[in-house]
Amino acid sequence: MIFGFSRFAARLIDALTTARNGMLSASAKLGAAAQAIATPEDAAGAQGTQSSTSAPRIGYLPLPGDIEGMTSMMEAEMAFKANAAVLKTAADMITALYKAID
């Protein structure tokens, strides 16, 4: 019984570690995407003007790169949700294990 428990606990720890690393990766991706959206490539140009070579703009956001940035942000959100589900499942399994031991 103890050997099976330790193997189960090791797998739970592996799941928690993997989910944590996935959340850190998603967080880094989200930060990079937000930074790319916040600082458009032509930010060094004149403020408030649009050069003839820059991308079309909607408000303050240039189009092609920002669409990719928003897509990256959505991917990061989905990765965060998936890893949160793994953490919740692991927590539920730990709770069930404690109840079984009592």
Side-chain angles (χ1 to χ4, degrees):
M1 178 69 180
I2 297 297
F3 181 71
F5 173 76
S6 64
R7 223 185 330 176
F8 178 75
R11 287 186 180 164
L12 275 177
I13 291 170
D14 288 345
L16 292 171
T17 301
T18 301
R20 175 191 171 272
N21 291 339
M23 288 185 128
L24 289 173
S25 175
S27 178
K29 184 173 189 169
L30 178 64
Q35 183 66 30
I37 290 171
T39 55
E41 291 177 14
D42 62 348
Q47 291 181 339
T49 62
Q50 180 177 345
S51 68
S52 60
T53 60
S54 67
R57 297 179 72 85
I58 295 177
Y60 291 104
L61 302 175
L63 275 180
D66 286 338
I67 291 172
E68 293 170 5
M70 291 301 293
T71 303
S72 291
M73 290 177 77
M74 287 183 217
E75 288 173 355
E77 178 186 8
M78 286 187 284
F80 234 87
K81 286 180 180 180
N83 286 301
V86 169
L87 290 174
K88 179 167 180 358
T89 301
D92 292 345
M93 292 173 74
I94 290 170
T95 302
L97 177 64
Y98 284 139
K99 286 180 181 179
I101 291 174
D102 280 347

